[in-house]
Amino acid sequence: MVLAMDTNYDPQQIETKWQKRWQEEKLFDADIAPGRKKYYVLEMLPYPSGDIHMGHVRNYSIGDALARYMSMKGYNVLHPIGWDAFGLPAENAAIKHQRPPAEFTFSYIERMRKQLQRLGISYDWRREIATCVPEYYRWNQWFFIKMYERGLAYRKHSRVNWCPECQTVLANEQVVDGCCWRHEETPVTEKDLEQWFLKITDYAERLLDDMQELVRWPERVLTMQQNWIGKSRGTEVDFQIAELGLPLRIFTTRVDTIFGCTAVFLAAEHPLVEKLTAASKSPERLRADAERIRNSANRARVEVNLEKDGVATGFTAVNPYNGEQVPIWLANFVLTGYGTGAVMAVPAHDQRDFEFCTTFNLPIRTVIVPVDDVGAGLKPAPTEAFVDYGKLVDSWPYSGLTSEQAIQRMTEDAEAKGFGKGTVQYRIKDWGISRQRYWGTPIPMIYCEACGIVPVPEKDLPVVLPADVKLTGQGQSPLARVPEFVNASCPKCGGPARRETDTMDTFVDSSWYFYRYTDPKIATAPVSKEAVEYWFPVDQYIGGIEHAILHLIYMRFFTKVMKDIGLVSFSEPVARLFTQGMVIKDGSKMSKSKGNVVDPTAMFARYGADTVRLYMLFAAPPEKDLDWNDAGIEGSARFLGKVYRMVAKHADELRFVESVLGKGNSLADLTAEERRLLRKSHQVLRHVTEDMEERWHFNTDVAMTMELVNELTELDSAASAGQIRPETLKVSLEVLVLVLALFAPHIADELWESLGHREPTLRVQWPAYDPELAAEEELEIPVQVNGKLRGRIRVAVGTSEEDIRQLAQADEKVAQHLDGRKIVKIIVVPQKLINIVVK
RNA sequence: GCGAAAGUGGCGGAAUUGGCAGACGCGCCAGACUUAGGAUCUGGUCCCGCAAGGGGUGGGGGUUCGAGUCCCCCCUUUCGCACCA
């Protein structure tokens, strides 16, 4: 029995029906299929905050359109999802409500999973992972120990970034403009702590080199990473402290300017400062001055362009190139953590030195002049440093050389004479991963009084995070107050020992999670080599740009370590990266404090997931920010309603008509109306196919789909009148539904079924467009006279250029503009335009 | 300050290779159907002008038969970097 389709579009009913059906049919389950081409679509895993937000919806709608397209193209598509489940918000909520973080986390995961499932994304839910379970985080510990064994994890006492809000340490990458990346209003302070670090600096060179492989990554992200790594070549030069006979090593990228050096600047925290103070004639004063400079240097973290400050130490340094003695100063702009913490001051050729030396009346000596400088005549006193490369003067024996030549020669000479060497400096520092919080992976280390630091043996992993821990958020590691956790016996000597009580930065969790998806339950190793071999690399990764130097650099680092350990055979895990824009409202980021948050679940309830997804793709191209507009989503809802009514109207009639989609329509048999409808259908198909392959402007794909619907509307009476046969109409509606299946899959499956098909659209092969059908047979060619549009002519495709010239000149309006003037030239752009130039 | 991207109707946006500027949608206007309309359908909608025509893609210049698109200068916005020696 055939029931007439309900002509009211009821998204709730349809979406529930199809989500159930998809699940029953295991439609999204992906398994290794040797010989079948695979495609791995990955979206950044969400933190389970309790509710999905529009940013997630956008991210996953983009990923799903691609995943569904690739499936229909015949690829074996892996499309997984999981939870970045450790982290501070759950711990803070736990403190506030006096309930364990695990409880919050798991209930939030439940809730968000339901919301995501309500969206109907094509995830293989069997592969879902949560990073906060021991089966997952034991491998964080395993990686940590592997790194420790290779000298890549080490403990160091150092000055670290501290967020007073988070009550924990932050990595350098997590400090943004001197504030916490999570609390943009909270200035980061400093603390001296013993911390665990991962030696990402050992990989700086490879992180840079391998960028060559990342040809499908946005330039912007690569530039940010390049800046962050901050490689610079230079020269280290040993000055001698004249009074103490001690070497003082400086780093410079401009050794060619060293004959213009009129002082040496030290960071206030430079290790030599203590010695200088001790040997000073007025140690108290120098100590106090050093303290002042240090404080001022610290302020520079938050304040930009802090005024230059400094103090003379009373000591002098000997320049090894010319034996000259110059004063040693402490300067607030010299960084401790970069280079050697000491620089030579060349005020004539470095703007900072110039400012400093001008302020403190230190001499300025020009040693570099522009290459084309004739060198004659008086020079006015400089008002700024000349920082470009040039040629050397007053730098005997190097005078006359270019900067490039001098840098090379002078570095070689320093090496030959033993007072310096060529060297490379990086801005990136090692990754501090210790966190003084509870809800994270315990660092698997044991401190034994007899044996020192001892890693937990692999067989004893995981070190399980104990439940029932009192959380205060007071800035000490909560685990330190759990004797059953802290007290351990030394794996080496069996004697009494203490466990490490800090937990790991959660960015460790997300540095390798996408490997785990390929075999999420494997218990013998973090990843299955076989599964990784098949599924990797990630073909397309999609997420926000905010992780450019955080997650996206850590993840690359981890992969390189994994390669060195022998877990994977490649250096880069992600072939192609796409960074989507934010969803904003009223011109700014959605936030509770601004009260401009649009809740996705409310939108699903009101419009259905398909409408929300369609709107996410239609409102803006995916790389741009999307300004949410309540009226705009109505349009998407209307469109889907219209599509539904249109297909429903013809469904009964077409259900048993044989589908000829993809089997070709013979051009010869078609009526003009059929020709027109099929032309549009295949044009839409062409546009969407080409766009999905490369350009990813889904907004134009949706627009084309709308144009097809408009064409169908216009031809509706022709269809009723029999000028369009049912099988032709069916082809067109099928194209419409299959294209829609990428963006609004539930309604698409419903309509596909109503057209007499059994299988879900995902299992349908993506139809190839027919170039002949898509081609226009008659063109409207605009005619310009002197570049101004004056008329249009209709010509058949293939009309000769000569005929086009004739027709154009014959056009009444065009003729008016040609009247009495001389034709200088006629430009015919085939298929496009004709321009008649007259005088 | 340095670097990058962007600037198009009332709004979101389109114009993929130098070739009809404003596709598609929102909003708005008018009409139809209707007891009703926040449903649906039809038509209109860059600006000036009755029209013919003219103007128009942040501003100014240039190249070209032809510029939103290429070049130069400037303005604005967003993002990244910001004492890295």
Side-chain angles (χ1 to χ4, degrees), chain A residues 199-232:
Chain A
K199 225 171 188 175
I200 195 169
T201 52
D202 270 14
Y203 287 78
E205 200 58 42
R206 280 165 69 184
L207 285 167
L208 280 175
D209 285 349
D210 292 346
M211 282 188 195
Q212 286 169 11
E213 289 182 37
L214 305 181
V215 289
R216 314 286 309 259
W217 279 42
E219 200 52 50
R220 200 152 63 113
V221 172
L222 297 180
T223 307
M224 283 167 75
Q225 292 204 356
Q226 230 160 42
N227 292 342
W228 185 256
I229 295 166
K231 177 181 180 174
S232 63

Side-chain angles (χ1 to χ4, degrees), chain A residues 87-97 165-166 183 437 473:
Chain A
L88 269 184
E91 185 165 345
N92 291 338
I95 292 162
K96 197 169 157 197
H97 298 102
E165 198 72 31
C166 295
H183 306 98
R437 298 295 299 233

Side-chain angles (χ1 to χ4, degrees), chain A residues 372-389:
Chain A
D372 52 13
D373 194 273
V374 287
L378 281 171
K379 300 245 183 334
T383 53
E384 58 177 14
F386 174 73
V387 298
D388 297 341
Y389 275 6

